[in-house]
Amino acid sequence: METLPKELKKIINDCYPYIKEFNPAQKHVINSGYLKDKDNYIIAIPTASGKTVLGVMAALKAILNGGKAIYAAPLISIQNEKVKEFKEFEKHGIKVGKHPGSSDLTIMVFESFDALTRFSWDTLREVDTIIIDEFHMIGEYTRGPTLECAITRAKIINPNLRVVALSATLRNMEEIEGWLEAKVAEHDYRPVPLNKEVLNTEMFNTSNKNEVVVKIVEKAIEENSQALSFVSTRRFTESLANYVAGKISKKITKDQKTMFKKVAEAILEVPEKKGSRPTSTCLKLAESCENGTAFHHAGLFNEQKEIIEEEFRAGNLLMISATPSLMYGVNLPSRSVVIRDYTRWTAQGPQPIPVFDYEQMSGRAGRPQYDDTGFSYLVAKSLDEAHDLQERYINGEVENTNSKLIENKDAIYKQIIAQIASNLSKTPDEIQDFFKKTFYGYQMVNDPSMSFFAEDSLKYEIEVALEFLLKNGIIQATPEGLKATDFGNLIAKSNYSVETAVKLKEYGSQIEEIDINELIYQLSLTPDLPLISFKGRKSKDPVREKLSEKGLFAVNIGNSEATTVTLIEWIDERNEYEIENAYNVYSASTRRSAYEASLLVKFLKNILEVLGKYSYSKDLDYLSARFYYGVREDLIPLVLGVKRLGRRRARSLIKTFGEDLRPVTEKQLQKVDGIGPKLSKSIKAFVDN
């Protein structure tokens, strides 16, 4: 602490009172001079070694010098967590928010930062420092291309922008260091030592991997600690949590039972507050929670996931079983991590997870301030398999981090559109120059085996992409150079994929009148609508029958079809309990899918208006509102006009008093369940105007 500038030290002491002194990794980074010089830096230290504080100190230094800083993270869950953490700085006069136009310290997801580099150049030029959390995700297929192109564009627009990247240790650090023109501060110290082991079922005289997990949880109970288990699918998270719950129920004390019961009750309150009976998934989750175990996946209500995370952090749950997506999510450390499944389902079938992902999951083991050591257990079926896993994961090296830009066709399209729409590139050569500056371009040029073909290969990829964009009316050739069409500008200003935009344009070009059911199906076939998945292997006939009833035909019944039927039922005012029972889907995801569908309908409306088709605008506005509120058309004026009324109470009003509410008094309105004095006053004010 002594080496920190006085004002910075005061903020850190006040906002992070538990940090009495920096650990060896943090001291090494501070002594490297990253707070004193203006160079770009890659800070590479293990998980749970305090990267966030190091990153935020660089941001605070820029702000204390009169500048602005951005903290970029890959996921909204991390963004929200950091906003809550950094709000403490406001006691020191530092504005914290989600947009640099109104904040000193801005927390953004990668996609929002990318949008800033496309259309908010003046704002971007006011930013002095950007901290990039989970920087190793630059090698990830979905978000990696967005991140590398946003960094590339930001460096062009604001050459003085300082980049501080926070990362796990990367194998090809020299390559990344060269592209980012950065110094590296690297250290292997971990505040909580990590013990990695491969266990096998034979050691426990069983053939069931779940029994191994039970033994680990039982040991955790004895040590008054917790376990985090990773499995490959949603269904497995549920079956593992329930299996462990059943096995450990007799080892739970009376006080623990009381505590777990409260967690279960909170889980069941979530759907009830939303006007739905608890679904079978909710009941299954609550049953597990009563014995101290929980499952965590995308098929739960968001509020249920938050409850599980908060209660686990508070020590009120013994185990969470989760899909690997949790390794990048919110901060959920645990003394023990169990990786039961080391494969993941892909288009090519089940594939072993990368060593890097194994390291990320293992890195969750060991809670700073609580544990003196962390344990990561990888579970094998046999002794031979355990030997193979030891060689692959414990003794193996992390894979190189490579750009996925050219592999991701949609990313190429999006970035070319962004370059043209923002007037940064007007010719194929200028586009090629931009791509040469990306991480992909750097890797191609500096790889001896690829450098000879690099320029021709890149030129070919750009030509193919330009041909597609010209053919679909997204860009056009003019005497002044390439320009984005109105349709292209619409795509550039959105975060939607080019595939989604083209599909919706094709749909909009062909329709003469809107068939709501057909439109919902089209939305469900785009890559931008979060899909609702089937829960298991039960019959899919109810979905097929509903589609047929609505005049829709599908050869294969998958998640797109499940989503279509769910959304059709949602705007017909069926709740999650009814939807799940009827179709055997994870209906807790319905509200998220419906919200995204409401935004996609607005996007379609904008596309049609660009095409000169304005006659559908009102119908699409109504449909967007129906998705958002989950109502039939007759309730739209009421739910739009009265804030926080909601569909359940709105429908109760109509059922009780009829469509004309003007003669109804406030006192009469309050007889409807859930309507108090404040809401009745708002209803009366709306209907009387």
Side-chain angles (χ1 to χ4, degrees):
M1 286 282 187
E2 292 72 25
T3 57
L4 295 185
K6 189 177 179 183
E7 203 171 350
L8 180 57
K9 181 181 175 182
K10 183 181 175 186
I11 296 173
I12 297 300
N13 279 335
D14 183 37
C15 299
Y16 296 94
Y18 57 86
I19 299 178
K20 303 303 179 188
E21 63 173 323
F22 292 119
N23 65 46
Q26 292 171 322
K27 285 178 181 175
H28 173 78
V29 173
I30 292 167
N31 292 336
S32 72
Y34 91 108
L35 284 173
K36 293 177 182 176
D37 64 34
K38 295 182 179 179
D39 292 312
N40 294 335
Y41 261 81
I42 301 171
I43 296 173
I45 58 178
T47 304
S49 296
K51 286 193 285 283
T52 297
V53 173
L54 293 169
V56 86
M57 284 199 295
L60 291 171
K61 184 198 168 205
I63 294 164
L64 292 172
N65 288 336
K68 290 191 172 192
I70 290 173
Y71 190 102
L75 302 170
I76 290 173
S77 56
I78 299 176
Q79 180 190 29
N80 292 336
E81 193 177 75
K82 297 306 178 190
V83 168
K84 194 184 292 183
E85 178 182 333
F86 298 160
K87 277 288 180 183
E88 287 290 305
F89 302 143
E90 293 195 336
K91 294 186 292 188
H92 297 269
I94 294 166
K95 290 181 187 173
V96 175
K98 293 185 178 182
H99 195 280
S102 55
S103 309
D104 301 315
L105 176 56
T106 304
I107 302 91
M108 310 181 91
V109 290
F110 293 163
E111 289 79 8
S112 298
F113 171 53
D114 181 45
L116 195 72
T117 69
R118 285 181 267 149
F119 295 105
S120 301
W121 293 2
D122 289 342
T123 303
L124 182 62
R125 288 187 180 115
E126 291 175 4
V127 178
D128 299 85
T129 300
I130 179 163
I131 314 301
I132 301 172
D133 199 1
E134 307 282 1
F135 177 75
H136 40 262
M137 287 191 80
I138 201 160
E140 194 255 348
Y141 178 83
T142 307
R143 291 182 175 89
T146 300
L147 178 59
E148 71 170 282
C149 290
I151 293 170
T152 305
R153 200 157 31 246
K155 287 168 73 180
I156 293 167
I157 296 161
N158 183 357
N160 296 318
L161 179 69
R162 186 187 189 210
V163 179
V164 177
L166 310 179
S167 177
T169 301
L170 302 172
R171 185 176 175 189
N172 51 327
M173 190 66 82
E174 286 184 12
E175 195 172 34
I176 297 165
E177 174 189 355
W179 170 67
L180 203 56
E181 299 173 305
K183 293 180 179 177
V184 176
E186 199 169 358
H187 203 276
D188 60 3
Y189 172 79
R190 201 177 186 275
V192 181
L194 179 59
N195 181 55
K196 299 176 187 173
E197 290 183 49
V198 179
L199 306 177
N200 69 81
T201 56
E202 292 175 13
M203 296 165 64
F204 298 89
N205 297 316
T206 181
S207 59
N208 186 351
K209 282 187 175 186
N210 287 351
E211 277 296 325
V212 180
V213 180
V214 169
K215 296 296 181 190
I216 293 165
V217 176
E218 286 176 343
K219 183 184 175 189
I221 293 171
E222 290 170 13
E223 297 173 345
N224 195 28
S225 66
Q226 299 161 288
L228 184 60
S229 302
F230 288 105
V231 293
S232 58
T233 68
R234 292 183 191 182
R235 194 159 52 86
F236 288 162
T237 67
E238 295 179 13
S239 61
L240 177 61
N242 285 315
Y243 186 88
V244 174
K247 291 286 186 175
I248 64 172
S249 60
K250 292 179 182 176
K251 295 182 179 287
I252 296 167
T253 65
K254 190 176 178 182
D255 287 346
Q256 284 178 317
K257 198 80 175 171
T258 303
M259 179 174 65
F260 298 153
K261 182 80 173 172
K262 288 179 182 175
V263 178
E265 287 168 355
I267 291 293
L268 294 178
E269 282 173 8
V270 171
E272 287 165 0
K273 285 178 181 176
K274 294 175 178 291
S276 172
R277 288 169 63 188
T279 65
S280 59
T281 305
C282 297
L283 293 170
K284 192 184 286 187
L285 177 59
E287 187 181 346
S288 290
C289 287
E290 284 190 9
N291 287 316
T293 70
F295 51 85
H296 187 294
H297 59 57
L300 303 178
F301 288 98
N302 285 335
E303 295 87 345
Q304 289 175 332
K305 287 187 278 188
E306 288 166 10
I307 289 167
I308 292 165
E309 291 159 13
E310 287 168 13
E311 296 295 348
F312 189 77
R313 276 194 287 261
N316 297 337
L317 285 169
L318 299 171
M319 185 196 81
I320 294 177
S321 61
T323 53
S325 58
L326 197 63
M327 68 181 170
Y328 284 126
V330 291
N331 185 29
L332 272 185
S334 169
R335 181 177 174 86
S336 300
V337 164
V338 190
I339 303 166
R340 196 200 71 173
D341 302 340
Y342 62 90
T343 59
R344 191 175 302 162
W345 188 261
T346 70
Q348 289 76 44
Q351 297 292 326
I353 59 171
V355 177
F356 188 89
D357 284 7
Y358 164 76
E359 293 288 347
Q360 286 294 111
M361 287 185 261
S362 294
R364 293 283 185 175
R367 300 164 301 169
Q369 304 168 61
Y370 295 100
D371 298 322
D372 54 8
T373 187
F375 295 91
S376 166
Y377 302 106
L378 183 56
V379 184
K381 286 281 281 183
S382 65
L383 195 58
D384 287 344
E385 187 181 54
H387 177 75
D388 292 342
L389 295 181
Q390 179 84 22
E391 289 305 306
R392 178 193 286 269
Y393 293 110
I394 310 291
N395 303 332
E397 288 191 4
V398 168
E399 300 81 6
N400 278 354
T401 298
N402 295 316
S403 169
K404 301 295 189 296
L405 178 57
I406 294 299
E407 291 176 34
N408 187 332
K409 294 297 178 189
D410 202 79
I412 301 173
Y413 298 152
K414 283 282 285 187
Q415 295 305 328
I416 290 176
I417 297 165
Q419 284 300 106
I420 295 170
S422 58
N423 291 316
L424 280 171
S425 303
K426 293 185 177 182
T427 67
D429 286 345
E430 287 175 354
I431 292 167
Q432 188 161 345
D433 286 342
F434 169 76
F435 276 91
K436 282 179 184 175
K437 293 180 174 120
T438 64
F439 183 39
Y440 167 78
Y442 185 89
Q443 285 194 303
M444 286 288 284
V445 170
N446 289 278
D447 183 339
S449 64
M450 299 297 289
S451 57
F452 183 75
F453 306 101
E455 194 152 338
D456 288 341
S457 174
L458 184 56
K459 188 176 180 182
Y460 171 76
E461 294 290 351
I462 290 168
E463 283 174 356
V464 170
L466 287 172
E467 187 179 334
F468 173 86
L469 298 174
L470 285 162
K471 179 184 169 187
N472 284 282
I474 296 167
I475 62 171
Q476 59 187 352
T478 74
E480 295 82 32
L482 294 169
K483 285 193 175 178
T485 62
D486 289 342
F487 178 47
N489 279 316
L490 195 61
I491 297 171
K493 289 174 182 174
S494 80
N495 279 326
Y496 292 123
S497 70
V498 178
E499 181 186 339
T500 291
V502 169
K503 274 180 185 276
L504 292 181
K505 184 190 174 193
E506 287 174 355
Y507 168 79
S509 302
Q510 294 166 7
I511 59 169
E512 293 180 7
E513 60 179 277
I514 292 175
D515 177 332
I516 289 175
N517 301 314
E518 173 61 30
L519 173 53
I520 293 174
Y521 194 17
Q522 291 301 318
L523 296 178
S524 299
L525 292 171
T526 68
D528 284 290
L529 187 70
L531 295 181
I532 293 156
S533 59
F534 284 101
K535 287 175 59 186
R537 295 172 183 168
K538 287 187 183 177
S539 172
K540 297 177 180 179
D541 286 344
V543 167
R544 190 187 300 277
E545 287 163 13
K546 189 68 180 180
L547 290 173
S548 179
E549 177 192 316
K550 296 296 181 181
L552 301 172
F553 175 73
V555 177
N556 298 312
I557 303 296
N559 291 342
S560 292
E561 289 70 31
T563 306
T564 301
V565 166
T566 298
L567 293 178
I568 288 170
E569 296 285 26
W570 174 250
I571 62 174
D572 199 32
E573 297 181 24
R574 297 191 80 180
N575 61 38
E576 288 90 347
Y577 172 81
E578 293 166 329
I579 293 168
E580 181 168 305
N581 275 4
Y583 303 107
N584 192 44
V585 296
Y586 282 113
S587 61
S589 310
T590 301
R591 288 169 200 255
R592 183 186 169 217
S593 293
Y595 173 71
E596 293 299 339
S598 76
L599 298 180
L600 272 170
V601 168
K602 288 181 181 177
F603 187 51
L604 172 61
K605 175 192 165 187
N606 293 336
I607 291 172
L608 290 175
E609 289 178 354
V610 159
L611 297 175
K613 293 187 170 188
Y614 294 90
S615 59
Y616 304 107
S617 296
K618 186 180 177 183
D619 288 341
L620 291 173
D621 281 338
Y622 266 62
L623 180 57
S624 178
R626 289 184 67 189
F627 278 130
Y628 188 86
Y629 292 101
V631 294
R632 297 175 198 145
E633 198 165 315
D634 64 310
L635 283 190
I636 289 174
L638 197 53
V639 293
L640 284 175
V642 183
K643 282 186 179 178
R644 289 181 285 278
L645 177 62
R647 67 177 185 167
R648 184 166 52 98
R649 288 181 293 207
R651 182 56 67 195
S652 295
L653 283 172
I654 300 300
K655 280 183 179 177
T656 306
F657 302 112
E659 292 187 8
D660 188 359
L661 299 175
R662 285 174 298 179
V664 187
T665 66
E666 285 185 36
K667 203 165 186 180
Q668 288 173 313
L669 289 170
Q670 289 172 34
K671 290 179 180 177
V672 172
D673 186 38
I675 295 179
K678 195 173 178 181
L679 195 51
S680 65
K681 190 174 183 179
S682 298
I683 295 165
K684 198 67 186 149
F686 169 70
V687 298
D688 287 347
N689 281 335

